[in-house]
Amino acid sequence: MYLLQVSTGGEDAFFVSPAGHGALGVSDGVSAWAEDGIDPGEYSRTLVQYCAEAFEERVMAATRAANRGSFIEKFDPRSILRYAQQCTCKPGSATVVLAALQPGGKLHVANLGDCGVKVVRNGKVVYETQPQQHDFNLPYQLSHPRLFPDTDTADSADRWVLQSLGFEML
């Protein structure tokens, strides 16, 4: 199994974006797909690519709106996940977490499955996401709904908004 992961680049993927106030996302491909000859990392790599694309497009749209004296709807990281899920039309599935800092020091987090975020202030964990599971060792996971109609969706993701004090670690 380890050699398969090395040869394919692994099952996990991430992005870090400096756009706006910054965002990051982590996706964990479901390893069981390898038993069917499917690279579990391909879905997670594609998913985070689309997450980064959607986040950066949203930042540009917000900038354009601000330049016109208007604003766009309230930020919801699940909308980023929703776009990425619809665009990732590949066999496979993955768990995912997205965290984005927004104006006013608000940290927006969306977590689906058993990925997660811990917020550390002054060396102490002050917040951590909880895993979402249907059953033991069966976390919520995204797939493309046309390929797998019973998949979990971005709307199933837990969502939190935290006030950042500017000196946390994720």
Side-chain angles (χ1 to χ4, degrees):
M1 186 69 161
Y2 179 72
L3 292 176
L4 173 65
Q5 291 178 355
V6 170
S7 66
T8 61
E11 299 164 357
D12 303 339
F14 73 95
F15 80 92
V16 176
S17 175
H21 295 277
L24 62 86
V26 177
S27 179
D28 180 7
V30 176
S31 62
W33 286 102
E35 296 169 11
D36 294 330
I38 295 169
D39 173 6
E42 188 173 355
Y43 185 90
S44 62
R45 288 188 295 274
T46 305
L47 185 72
V48 297
Q49 174 187 341
Y50 283 120
C51 282
E53 179 182 293
F55 175 74
E56 291 173 358
E57 173 54 38
R58 188 185 189 290
V59 168
M60 289 188 299
T63 301
R64 288 190 300 269
N67 289 340
R68 291 190 311 266
S70 62
F71 62 93
I72 60 176
E73 76 281 349
K74 187 175 175 181
F75 181 73
D76 182 348
R78 291 175 300 190
S79 67
I80 304 295
L81 296 180
R82 197 174 302 116
Y83 171 84
Q85 182 179 20
Q86 291 301 317
C87 291
T88 307
C89 192
K90 295 182 175 293
S93 58
T95 63
V96 62
V97 64
L98 177 66
L101 195 58
Q102 294 295 296
K106 302 279 188 195
L107 180 66
H108 292 255
V109 177
N111 184 58
L112 187 122
D114 58 2
C115 285
V117 168
K118 289 185 181 185
V119 177
V120 179
R121 289 185 184 141
N122 299 322
K124 295 182 180 167
V125 175
V126 296
Y127 170 77
E128 64 183 300
T129 57
Q130 297 300 310
Q132 296 175 302
Q133 293 190 30
H134 294 288
D135 206 348
F136 175 74
N137 204 27
L138 183 58
Y140 286 27
Q141 50 195 278
L142 295 180
S143 291
H144 195 280
R146 192 175 66 214
L147 300 175
F148 305 98
D150 293 333
T151 186
D152 295 305
T153 67
D155 294 324
S156 303
D158 286 336
R159 178 177 180 251
W160 298 271
V161 178
L162 307 166
Q163 181 61 50
S164 173
L165 299 178
F167 53 85
E168 294 89 1
M169 294 184 348
L170 291 180

